Amino acid sequence: GDSVTQMEGPVTLSEEAFLTINCTYTATGYPSLFWYVQYPGEGLQLLLKATKADDKGSNKGFEATYRKETTSFHLEKGSVQVSDSAVYFCASFEAAGNKLTFGGGTRVLVKP
Amino acid sequence: DVKVTQSSRYLVKRTGEKVFLECVQDMDHENMFWYRQDPGLGLRLIYFSYDVKMKEKGDIPEGYSVSREKKERFSLILESASTNQTSMYLCASSPDRPRGTDTQYFGPGTRLTVL
């Protein structure tokens, strides 16, 4: 079945550092890809998404590009803030499976 | 704004008790989902529903059941709670464009502890 693998955390950074969280997926077709973020004590919120190859999703300074050739959707931010401390989930949706498949989540801690 | 609410943020129950987790969404979404979230495992789908009185099993339905009597409300039921059901439970909803491809909107979660 479909699966999503993302780097394990926690990832600890200083403010203004560059953040990358790796995400790769396996799928039989061409899934839509998502990054969700969970701030402390809250539910998940959609951060960005891409629905086809070479699409770039972006929001709040975060970006991720759908790379079909490497089956990846890595999340990046050029300069993180303390307020970016959260757990980040990569997810894929393939119509044949008809459900979202989540990665294990990556906790990011940004220190001032 | 879409709002998904869950009946409790924290819940403590004893082994063998029957537990009801309630979820309500206010955006007339057709699709509703129940997940559990465990460290290192991400979110795993328990059950989902595409319409009133309709339900489908997700990846880990054992030990759970659901009820959807009204469009806005989706209940998760633990018939006889066990300690391995201690977890964070998240409800989500999405509109009825091609099923599931659109954004899912999540509630704040219910952290359930079974003693």
Side-chain angles (χ1 to χ4, degrees):
Chain A
D2 297 354
S3 67
V4 175
T5 303
Q6 59 183 107
M7 58 192 290
E8 289 189 27
V11 175
T12 304
L13 303 164
S14 297
E15 215 166 14
E16 299 183 2
F18 184 86
L19 170 68
T20 300
I21 305 176
N22 291 340
C23 170
T24 56
Y25 66 91
T26 61
T28 53
Y30 302 99
S32 297
L33 300 173
F34 304 81
W35 277 102
Y36 280 83
V37 59
Q38 185 179 34
Y39 297 106
E42 298 182 15
L44 275 69
Q45 314 174 13
L46 179 69
L47 182 59
L48 53 84
K49 68 179 183 181
T51 57
K52 60 183 189 297
D54 300 325
D55 267 3
K56 178 186 281 188
S58 62
N59 186 25
K60 297 182 180 180
F62 289 89
E63 290 184 343
T65 301
Y66 190 141
R67 302 283 187 205
K68 185 162 72 82
E69 62 277 11
T70 54
T71 62
S72 65
F73 192 54
H74 305 322
L75 183 69
E76 297 181 337
K77 185 172 185 181
S79 177
V80 293
Q81 305 300 313
V82 171
S83 58
D84 293 324
S85 297
V87 181
Y88 294 82
F89 292 92
C90 186
S92 72
F93 177 86
E94 193 169 17
N98 216 14
K99 66 180 178 71
L100 268 178
T101 300
F102 285 88
T106 302
R107 183 176 298 279
V108 172
L109 176 61
V110 180
K111 295 186 174 180
Chain B
D1 277 353
V2 175
K3 192 154 187 186
V4 180
T5 56
Q6 296 183 227
S7 49
S8 306
R9 292 299 298 271
Y10 300 93
L11 210 52
V12 179
K13 295 293 182 180
R14 297 204 174 274
T15 300
E17 280 192 79
K18 190 169 186 175
V19 182
F20 292 88
L21 303 182
E22 305 284 342
C23 175
V24 177
Q25 50 93 5
D26 66 357
M27 283 303 291
D28 202 36
H29 285 171
E30 286 76 14
N31 310 315
M32 296 188 75
F33 308 84
W34 275 107
Y35 296 89
R36 63 177 282 176
Q37 180 184 3
D38 299 289
L41 297 177
L43 274 71
R44 293 178 292 168
L45 183 64
I46 304 171
Y47 267 97
F48 57 102
S49 169
Y50 288 139
D51 203 351
V52 175
K53 297 192 184 295
M54 180 272 179
K55 61 187 179 185
E56 289 192 30
K57 293 180 179 179
D59 298 320
I60 51 165
E62 296 77 19
Y64 303 94
S65 62
V66 290
S67 172
R68 190 147 181 223
E69 296 295 320
K70 293 184 178 181
K71 190 176 186 180
E72 67 271 18
R73 187 180 297 269
F74 192 36
S75 303
L76 180 69
I77 304 155
L78 287 66
E79 294 289 340
S80 177
S82 63
T83 54
N84 63 12
Q85 292 178 310
T86 292
S87 187
M88 171 73 88
Y89 290 87
L90 292 169
C91 176
S93 72
S94 70
D96 198 23
R97 290 191 254 285
R99 285 176 177 172
T101 57
D102 212 337
T103 303
Q104 289 190 15
Y105 297 86
F106 284 82
T110 295
R111 186 167 292 283
L112 173 66
T113 301
V114 182
L115 302 175

Coordinates of all heavy atoms in Angstrom, one line a residue, chain A residues 2 13-14 18-19 24-25 37 39 47 49 52 63-64 66 70 75 77 79 81 90 99 104 111:
Chain A
D2 N 0.2 2.4 -0.1 CA 0.9 3.7 0.0 C 1.6 3.9 1.3 O 1.1 3.4 2.3 CB -0.1 4.8 -0.2 CG -0.8 4.7 -1.6 OD1 -0.4 3.9 -2.4 OD2 -1.7 5.5 -1.8
L13 N 16.7 23.9 16.1 CA 17.4 24.9 15.3 C 17.5 26.2 16.1 O 16.6 26.4 17.0 CB 16.6 25.2 14.0 CG 16.3 24.1 13.1 CD1 15.2 24.5 12.1 CD2 17.6 23.7 12.3
S14 N 18.4 27.1 15.7 CA 18.3 28.5 16.2 C 17.5 29.3 15.3 O 17.3 29.0 14.1 CB 19.8 29.0 16.3 OG 20.5 28.3 17.2
F18 N 18.1 27.8 8.5 CA 17.4 27.2 7.4 C 16.9 25.8 7.8 O 17.6 25.0 8.4 CB 18.4 27.0 6.2 CG 17.8 26.5 5.0 CD1 17.2 27.3 4.1 CD2 17.8 25.1 4.7 CE1 16.6 26.9 2.9 CE2 17.2 24.6 3.5 CZ 16.6 25.5 2.6
L19 N 15.6 25.5 7.5 CA 15.0 24.3 7.9 C 14.7 23.5 6.6 O 14.1 24.0 5.6 CB 13.7 24.6 8.6 CG 12.8 23.4 8.9 CD1 13.4 22.4 9.9 CD2 11.4 23.8 9.4
T24 N 9.5 11.4 1.6 CA 9.4 10.6 0.4 C 8.1 9.8 0.5 O 7.6 9.4 1.6 CB 10.6 9.7 0.2 OG1 10.7 8.9 1.4 CG2 11.8 10.5 0.0
Y25 N 7.6 9.4 -0.6 CA 6.3 8.6 -0.7 C 6.4 7.5 -1.6 O 7.3 7.4 -2.5 CB 5.2 9.5 -1.1 CG 5.3 10.0 -2.5 CD1 4.7 9.3 -3.6 CD2 6.0 11.2 -2.8 CE1 4.8 9.7 -4.9 CE2 6.1 11.6 -4.1 CZ 5.5 10.9 -5.1 OH 5.6 11.3 -6.4
V37 N 0.7 21.0 9.7 CA 1.4 21.5 10.9 C 0.5 21.4 12.1 O -0.7 21.7 12.0 CB 2.0 22.9 10.7 CG1 0.9 23.9 10.4 CG2 2.8 23.3 11.9
Y39 N 0.6 22.8 15.9 CA 1.2 23.6 16.9 C 0.8 23.1 18.3 O -0.2 22.4 18.4 CB 0.7 25.1 16.8 CG 1.2 25.7 15.5 CD1 0.2 26.0 14.5 CD2 2.5 26.1 15.3 CE1 0.6 26.5 13.3 CE2 2.9 26.7 14.1 CZ 2.0 26.9 13.1 OH 2.4 27.4 11.9
L47 N -0.7 23.2 5.8 CA 0.3 24.2 5.6 C 0.5 24.5 4.1 O 0.4 25.7 3.7 CB 1.7 23.7 6.2 CG 2.9 24.7 6.0 CD1 2.6 26.0 6.8 CD2 4.1 24.0 6.6
K49 N 0.1 22.4 -0.1 CA -0.1 21.2 -0.9 C 0.3 21.4 -2.3 O 0.5 22.5 -2.8 CB -1.6 20.8 -0.8 CG -2.6 21.7 -1.5 CD -4.0 21.2 -1.4 CE -5.0 22.1 -2.2 NZ -6.4 21.6 -2.0
K52 N 0.2 18.0 -8.5 CA 0.8 17.3 -9.7 C 2.3 17.6 -9.7 O 2.8 18.5 -9.0 CB 0.2 17.7 -11.0 CG 0.3 19.1 -11.3 CD -0.5 19.4 -12.6 CE -0.3 20.8 -13.1 NZ -0.7 21.8 -12.2
E63 N 8.1 26.2 1.7 CA 7.9 25.7 0.3 C 8.1 24.3 0.2 O 9.0 23.7 1.0 CB 8.9 26.4 -0.6 CG 8.7 27.9 -0.8 CD 9.7 28.5 -1.8 OE1 10.7 27.8 -2.1 OE2 9.4 29.6 -2.4
A64 N 7.5 23.6 -0.7 CA 7.8 22.2 -1.0 C 7.5 22.0 -2.5 O 6.4 22.5 -3.0 CB 7.0 21.3 -0.1
Y66 N 6.9 19.2 -5.6 CA 6.5 17.8 -5.9 C 7.5 17.3 -6.9 O 7.5 17.7 -8.1 CB 5.1 17.8 -6.5 CG 4.4 16.5 -6.7 CD1 3.0 16.5 -6.4 CD2 5.0 15.4 -7.2 CE1 2.3 15.3 -6.6 CE2 4.3 14.2 -7.4 CZ 2.9 14.2 -7.1 OH 2.2 13.0 -7.3
T70 N 12.0 11.7 -7.9 CA 12.6 11.2 -6.7 C 11.5 10.8 -5.7 O 11.9 10.5 -4.5 CB 13.5 12.3 -6.1 OG1 12.8 13.5 -5.9 CG2 14.8 12.5 -6.9
L75 N 10.1 19.7 2.7 CA 9.6 21.0 3.2 C 10.9 21.9 3.5 O 11.8 21.4 4.2 CB 8.8 20.8 4.4 CG 8.2 22.1 5.0 CD1 7.1 22.7 4.1 CD2 7.5 21.8 6.4
K77 N 12.2 26.0 4.7 CA 12.0 27.4 5.1 C 13.4 28.1 5.3 O 14.2 27.5 6.0 CB 11.1 27.6 6.3 CG 10.8 29.0 6.6 CD 9.8 29.2 7.7 CE 9.4 30.7 7.9 NZ 8.5 30.9 9.0
S79 N 14.3 30.9 6.9 CA 14.7 31.6 8.1 C 13.6 31.3 9.1 O 12.5 32.0 9.1 CB 14.8 33.1 7.9 OG 15.1 33.8 9.1
Q81 N 11.4 30.9 12.7 CA 11.2 31.7 13.9 C 10.8 30.8 15.0 O 10.4 29.7 14.8 CB 10.0 32.7 13.6 CG 10.3 33.6 12.4 CD 11.6 34.5 12.6 OE1 11.8 35.1 13.6 NE2 12.4 34.5 11.5
C90 N 3.9 15.1 6.8 CA 3.8 15.0 5.3 C 2.7 13.9 5.1 O 2.5 13.0 5.9 CB 5.1 14.5 4.8 SG 5.2 14.4 3.0
K99 N -7.8 7.7 0.5 CA -7.6 8.2 1.8 C -6.2 8.9 1.9 O -5.4 8.6 1.1 CB -7.7 7.1 2.9 CG -6.6 6.0 2.7 CD -6.8 4.9 3.8 CE -5.8 3.8 3.7 NZ -4.5 4.3 4.1
G104 N 5.2 9.9 9.9 CA 5.2 9.8 11.3 C 5.3 11.1 12.1 O 5.2 11.2 13.3
K111 N 14.9 27.6 18.8 CA 15.3 28.3 20.0 C 15.7 29.7 19.6 O 16.3 30.0 18.6 CB 16.5 27.6 20.6 CG 16.1 26.2 21.2 CD 17.3 25.5 21.9 CE 16.8 24.2 22.5 NZ 17.9 23.6 23.3

